[in-house]
Amino acid sequence: MKMFFKALFCCLIMFSSFYVFSSAASNFYSPATNFNADIISPENFLGHQIGEQMVRNDQLVAYFKMLSEQSERVSFEVIGYSHERRPIITLTISSPANLKKLPEIQQKHMLLQQGNALNTSNMPVISWINFGVHGSEVSSTDSAIPIAYHLAAAQGKETEKLLENSVILLTASMNPDGNSREASWNLRYQSEVAISDPAHALHGSPWPSGRTNHYWFDLNRQWMLQQHPEPVSWVKKFHDWRPNIVADFHEMRSYKSFYFHPGAPDRVHPLINKQAMGLLSDVVEQPRAYLDSAATLFFNEEAYDNFYLGKGATYPHLYGSLGILFEQASSAGVLETPRGLLSFRENIKMYYHVGLALLNNAVDKKQALLNYQYQFSKETKETAKNDSVKGYVFSAPEDPAKIFHFLQLLSRNKIDVKPLTKDMTVNGKSFFANQAYVVESAQASYPMLKGLFSKVTRFENNTFYDVSGWTMPLAFGIEYEELKQSNYQVGEVLAVTFPRQPSPSEAQVAYAFEWSNYYAPKLMYQLLQEGFRPRVANNGFQAETDQGQKTFMRGTVVVPVSNQDKSKLHSLMSQAAEQDAIASYALQSSHTQSIGMDLGSNNIEAIEQPHVLLVIGPSISQYQAGEVWHLLDKRMNIPSVLVTKSQLEKLDLNNYSHIVLVDGQHANINKKTTNKLLTWTRSGGTFIGIADGAKWASKELLDLVTVEISAGIENQRERINYGQKSHLEAQDIIGGAVMLGDLDITHPLGYGYVRREIATHRSGLLAFEMPKNPYASIVQIAQKPLLTGFASAENQQQLAGKTSLVAQRLGKGSVILFADDPNFRGYFYGTEKLFLNSLFFSKLFVSPR
């Protein structure tokens, strides 16, 4: 009897909970919508109302998995994994009949977007809705749940029409690591009583924010770049389908209203099809109508743009899809704002209705969308055929690993590359057969290849939401030229594979490898970690090797075998050839063919193992700190100790050889810590500053003259109409351009580079006056510095001749200062070596007498 009453009590509790959740749900979903009772609602699965708290990533994955098991409309797929090995989920949702013939639908759709004339009357529209690329934008990820439930369980003619005429791809969460970080914070500070005070901890988030992924990268800047597993997964899925529409759901500052594309009409990249914005405006008619019916204020054609090609709402346009950005004011609970109270639950409800309105609108505009994709392909072929630039030739024979990563980026963006099969000279530059490659304009991905290779320096509007220039060969430090004529010879389309090198013979005296290889720092650290004693040649030399006589460049690494474990050393060198494309050479004699450069020369110096401390935490740029961490940890297998500024005061700095301070606000570094850093540097440490980290160090450690160039509007004394303010202030900003510099390749920080011309990424107006030390200016800004992107003529003129990279000795230590970010977004391979050189070679240069 006792067990009976216990079971009855549990049933009553469950019934009561179901009633409460069903009652609450009726206020969330449309009253006219009936749901299949056999499919569990989010409320009953989660045990709380939608928007009562953030849903953990594991709960979201489990619910989506369950939907696929309970609904014959839903297919569940793991398309990839994050850095922290969390699954990235895509649901494919359509009518059961469509799902049964999904491969046929996919094949037919791909044929259409390749320019094949087909009967489209019975073809479904392909709609992709994406959630949670910024993990801290909480209503984005959580709104995917009720939308998925509606599509899986809603009944009625409207839903049947939507599913019969659509294949819907739903991806959430696109950034599960950042989302999990944010959910943990949200759940930690959730109260039983809603607290709307903006000062409450719930309405903020700790450093690093959940916006970013594991390595603190903004993944919504990675669609074109694909330097992380998350975007590699999404973009592959995109190219598997080339959807007609791609919607990206975001949040913005809490004081704002509601935004959706189209954006500012004069801030659209010229490569984007002119018809796209008009059609896009038609596709958001139903979301617009819903917002009006809900008396929700919104704005279009303002502030946001379609210029940077690496964002989720812009990238699809280069392939005939329509990218659509949605942004709503952010609230993690209930929040007081200048526009009134904002509710997390109401935000989710808003995106639920807007998302469904968009999907239904896509069905209504199905024929126009399918026709657009077909016409896009035809027009792309014609435009490519008529382009005066027939293609691009490029090479970097000194660094096969870097070329591989460049080819990989092109391949991921569906750009075909062919090997050059006959030597040619273009504009005085030589490109050799089997060492150079050609990208031809006449191919299906023409718009994207132009976006990657073109230099753009003139703009209709000089205001940019993001970077203004990103030409990829410049970013990778690769020699390239336009081909104006088809007077070249190439082979078949290249299958991109990693360029493994042959293992060296066993060395009698030493091994040697060039520092120009991208992964040379990785091998150097491994050798030091294993107790070997690599040395670096400060001059070039010639020597007999197991592969004949070879000329080695300045910066070549020589690894002696004496008193070493020869078998283990040979194994490491062979492994580096196989895994990292590092060609090494066996030297059988200490004697070389170069005067004064035998292997025992004083000009071949020992290298010490770096022990890196990276300053992180509040007031530090999470993006730049993440770039350093990712480069060292993920690519080079070099450990870095992550500490906050507040820890520096008590930490024993003698355990570290290098301290890295990136961009941020550094006025909070107190005098005691400053003196400690100064003493540590003078005693033999290397301090590396980037951007504002460099500005702080130039003043506190070097007393170097640092200038922040400005067009000087604030110094004018003439009257200016206020309406001109935003336009004129845009002239004072360099928001991500690529600048030309002259690199001293004879300096240890220039080792591994074969050309003095170097492209650097510049955001901001920081530069250094020429140091008193004549050898300390490692990169001098060119007289005509702008390569691609926007910088006013005045700013270019004032930057010309200034220094962007300084390296000086301070006592027994060194200070190395980067005005430009050498590790920008993980794709500026061409300048990453400058940063890595500052770890290994910071003691190879000396002060002038």
Side-chain angles (χ1 to χ4, degrees), residues 646-662:
S646 59
Q647 293 176 272
L648 290 175
E649 189 173 327
K650 297 181 180 179
L651 198 64
D652 183 0
L653 299 184
N654 293 320
N655 294 324
Y656 310 100
S657 62
H658 292 71
I659 294 176
V660 182
L661 183 68
V662 300

Side-chain angles (χ1 to χ4, degrees), residues 54 135-138 177-190 198-214 216 332 616-623 644:
M54 274 188 72
S136 61
E137 295 174 1
V138 291
D177 295 348
N179 178 256
S180 297
R181 198 159 61 239
E182 190 70 23
S184 174
W185 179 267
N186 185 275
L187 295 169
R188 188 184 314 167
Y189 289 102
Q190 183 182 346
H200 181 48
L202 177 72
H203 301 302
S205 60
W207 192 104
S209 73
R211 176 184 179 87
T212 56
N213 77 339
H214 173 80
W216 313 331
I616 65 168
S619 79
I620 296 287
S621 166
Q622 61 182 350
Y623 303 125
T644 64

Side-chain angles (χ1 to χ4, degrees), residues 601-636:
S601 167
N602 292 332
N603 277 316
I604 302 181
E605 296 190 57
I607 299 297
E608 296 179 0
Q609 181 179 352
H611 299 277
V612 182
L613 185 153
L614 173 61
V615 183
I616 65 168
S619 79
I620 296 287
S621 166
Q622 61 182 350
Y623 303 125
Q624 280 197 4
E627 290 163 3
V628 173
W629 182 27
H630 175 257
L631 173 64
L632 297 182
D633 182 56
K634 190 70 176 178
R635 291 186 177 164
M636 298 298 161

Side-chain angles (χ1 to χ4, degrees), residues 108-118 373-379 381 444:
K108 195 173 180 181
H109 179 76
M110 294 301 287
L111 286 171
L112 179 72
Q113 70 89 33
Q114 290 164 5
N116 295 282
L118 301 173
Q373 206 157 50
Y374 168 69
Q375 292 297 331
F376 176 89
S377 179
K378 287 186 64 178
E379 291 175 13
K381 289 179 182 178

Side-chain angles (χ1 to χ4, degrees), residues 698-699 702-706 768-772 806 808 817:
S698 68
K699 176 183 176 183
L702 286 187
D703 195 25
L704 188 70
V705 178
T706 304
F768 307 108
E769 294 287 3
M770 191 63 64
K772 294 179 181 178
V806 170
Q808 288 198 172
L817 307 178

